[in-house]
Amino acid sequence: MAVVTAWAEVGFTAVLLTAGLQSIPEEVLEAALVDGASPWTCFWRVILPLLSPTLFAVGLLAVMGSLTAFAQIHLLTRGGPAESTTVWIYRIYQDAFLNFRVPQAAAEAFLLVLLLVALAGAQFRYVGRRVHYEGRA
């Protein structure tokens, strides 16, 4: 399931990273090379810091997407065999639409939203400080 989910997200991630790489000004890269930076140093000291907002967004979307991966599980395994691929979001679906325990499913969904907000907050707090924006002082 992890391979299928990762494969499903590769295209979107590639588009975001390509857009991030294209947004890096060529003048900055040329200036680093003229100043004597090796390609390796240019990558670590110029490209990666300028790509950090895109990497942060990709990481945030990847974490959220991994916890809410429903379609792959529903289409491939329906939570089986022996509920080995049942994840939280699929359990909410089963409780709400198959077992008709809507109040329980609503409570589970609320807890999932709280977890997602907490994870996003943690990412903003701990990873967000390493993000470098061009116009930031």
Side-chain angles (χ1 to χ4, degrees), residues 50-116:
L50 291 175
L51 196 60
S52 63
T54 305
L55 290 172
F56 179 70
V58 166
L60 188 65
L61 291 172
V63 169
M64 300 300 155
S66 67
L67 288 174
T68 57
F70 173 81
Q72 299 90 342
I73 293 167
H74 186 66
L75 291 173
L76 294 175
T77 65
R78 302 220 184 242
E83 296 189 355
S84 62
T85 59
T86 299
V87 295
W88 198 350
I89 192 77
Y90 199 74
R91 172 74 62 206
I92 293 169
Y93 163 76
Q94 287 176 330
D95 285 342
F97 299 109
L98 300 178
N99 301 329
F100 302 108
R101 294 187 298 227
V102 176
Q104 180 178 344
E108 291 170 350
F110 181 73
L111 290 175
L112 178 61
V113 168
L114 287 180
L115 175 69
L116 291 173

